[in-house]
Amino acid sequence: MYQLVNGEVSVSKLRDVEIEDLLGREPVQVDIGSIIGYVQNKVVCVTGGGGSIGSELCRQIAGHKPKQLIILDIYENNAYDIQQDIVYHAAAHKHVPLMEDSPCEAIKNNVFGTFKTARAAAMNGVQTFVMISTDKAVNPTNIMGASKRICEMIIQSFDRMYPDTKFVAVRFGNVLGSNGSVIPLFRKQIAAGGPVTVTDPNIIRYFMTIPEAVSLVLQAGAYAKGGEIFVLDMGEPVKILDLAENLIRLSGYRVGEDIEIKFTGLRPGEKLYEEMLMKEEGMKETANKQIHIGRPIEFNEVQFLRDLEALKVAAENESPDIRQYVKAIVPTYVTPEERLAQQKKENAAGSAVRERFESDTDVSLSN
């Protein structure tokens, strides 16, 4: 206590900041025991099994006596017989700015990686295929979100095409502490003495912990009947600025004095907020109040498969028009050109209002 008073040690030296401290709510408790029968004595394959979500999936599944657990990641070279598996498809490119820079690569990996994995599951008699999706798939403003929306459409199409396999998607928001998320970045910036970078003071996101997300994914998989998009209730959204300030304080520093916060501006394709459902989808409850089912949006599957083939060719050829091929499949996707046009329109409207106000009041707002 004497050292604390004299500033010789900080609060951060007493203990590490726990992720749960930043959640702003009590962690969701899921009765995993209730779904033991779902994975027990089953062969289970987890793609992206070395990642944040994938590795926690593997840990929880391994504790519930699967017949065999297959962990498949980018460095895995072996081919496995996946007959009668449950497949959790968590593998994907996920970083929004990188995907904006390399849209063709995003489409090849996320969309056609999912297509090929799902088709392999169908061809080999897999019982249940669970794809991990994202809230960024709703009215997407970036290639990452649009690619995941196409993946959801693949899942819905395959569920009708291959009735022996239940294909479902699980959609949730940001996961605190996952690889590449803001918390590891903020911690690194704090350790370096700052500044902590936040894109916009008003940006908000839905958050869960890794164990929460995985527990709910497992339970959603147990509810699967085929074709559903499960939406996980992540509570109230959290301001990224609040998250940064809380992490600085919990690390034993003063905001603005010991550690500065710097605003860097929204990155390409980044929204101020994320949505969990499209307006058309609506929601249906399940036995778990944290898990809802979005009503599938109807689309022409024959045309979808044609557009998918055209998208595949465009991605393989590194087409500069790749975003237009994506737009043809996902009409709610907002391209960078459309965002720029919208921004110009809003700026022009704002200028017109300003001019009318100054004219009416004969007062210059700039003075």
Side-chain angles (χ1 to χ4, degrees), residues 317-350:
N317 291 331
E318 299 291 328
S319 171
D321 298 322
I322 189 71
R323 287 181 171 84
Q324 295 307 317
Y325 288 90
V326 171
K327 179 80 173 178
I329 299 175
V330 186
T332 55
Y333 166 52
V334 181
T335 66
E337 294 77 15
E338 289 172 329
R339 285 199 308 274
L340 185 60
Q342 181 65 27
Q343 190 175 23
K344 286 180 178 178
K345 187 177 178 181
E346 289 171 356
N347 289 343

Side-chain angles (χ1 to χ4, degrees), residues 23 203-207 234-240 242 273-274:
L23 201 54
I203 194 167
I204 59 174
R205 290 291 182 267
Y206 291 95
F207 282 105
M234 305 187 71
E236 292 299 315
V238 176
K239 286 184 75 171
I240 302 296
D242 291 345
Y273 62 94
E274 302 292 357

Side-chain angles (χ1 to χ4, degrees), residues 126-366:
V126 164
Q127 187 181 85
T128 306
F129 185 97
V130 182
M131 187 205 77
I132 309 298
S133 190
T134 170
D135 54 2
K136 292 178 177 62
V138 183
N139 299 323
T141 58
N142 51 62
I143 282 290
M144 187 275 187
S147 73
K148 282 293 194 175
R149 176 59 195 144
I150 296 173
C151 290
E152 291 178 352
M153 294 169 76
I154 289 170
I155 292 305
Q156 291 176 312
S157 295
F158 273 39
D159 189 68
R160 289 188 278 265
M161 292 163 60
Y162 302 104
D164 293 337
T165 300
K166 292 181 287 189
F167 288 93
V168 300
V170 182
R171 186 192 290 164
F172 52 81
N174 295 268
V175 179
L176 281 172
S178 63
N179 294 335
S181 67
V182 292
I183 298 303
L185 173 62
F186 287 170
R187 280 177 165 161
K188 185 178 179 180
Q189 291 174 333
I190 290 169
V196 169
T197 56
V198 176
T199 57
D200 189 282
N202 297 312
I203 194 167
I204 59 174
R205 290 291 182 267
Y206 291 95
F207 282 105
M208 301 185 105
T209 65
I210 294 173
E212 277 183 326
V214 168
S215 296
L216 289 169
V217 166
L218 285 170
Q219 195 156 16
Y223 291 155
K225 293 180 180 177
E228 301 99 334
I229 295 178
F230 291 99
V231 181
L232 306 187
D233 186 346
M234 305 187 71
E236 292 299 315
V238 176
K239 286 184 75 171
I240 302 296
L241 177 58
D242 291 345
L243 203 66
E245 289 176 343
N246 289 337
L247 186 56
I248 290 169
R249 292 191 189 102
L250 287 169
S251 299
Y253 299 104
R254 292 166 297 183
V255 178
E257 296 180 41
D258 301 321
I259 302 290
E260 294 285 341
I261 292 178
K262 180 182 177 183
F263 298 109
T264 57
L266 290 176
R267 298 173 298 180
E270 191 172 40
K271 288 182 180 180
L272 276 178
Y273 62 94
E274 302 292 357
E275 305 146 287
M276 294 303 287
L277 272 176
M278 297 182 188
K279 288 180 182 178
E280 314 96 282
E281 285 178 312
M283 270 203 296
K284 187 170 69 176
E285 292 186 349
T286 67
N288 184 331
K289 64 180 183 179
Q290 300 296 133
I291 301 173
H292 306 274
I293 300 172
R295 180 171 56 83
I297 296 174
E298 296 300 322
F299 56 90
N300 186 318
E301 285 184 14
V302 174
Q303 186 60 48
F304 169 62
L305 293 173
R306 286 199 195 107
D307 290 340
L308 208 56
E309 182 60 34
L311 180 67
K312 181 173 181 285
V313 173
E316 288 174 347
N317 291 331
E318 299 291 328
S319 171
D321 298 322
I322 189 71
R323 287 181 171 84
Q324 295 307 317
Y325 288 90
V326 171
K327 179 80 173 178
I329 299 175
V330 186
T332 55
Y333 166 52
V334 181
T335 66
E337 294 77 15
E338 289 172 329
R339 285 199 308 274
L340 185 60
Q342 181 65 27
Q343 190 175 23
K344 286 180 178 178
K345 187 177 178 181
E346 289 171 356
N347 289 343
S351 297
V353 170
R354 178 189 174 98
E355 287 172 7
R356 283 200 303 271
F357 180 82
E358 290 181 349
S359 174
D360 291 344
T361 59
D362 200 30
V363 174
S364 174
L365 295 179
S366 60

Side-chain angles (χ1 to χ4, degrees), residues 39-44 65-69:
V39 296
Q40 197 169 22
N41 296 322
K42 298 282 177 63
V43 176
V44 181
K65 301 179 181 178
K67 180 179 179 182
Q68 184 181 11
L69 175 59

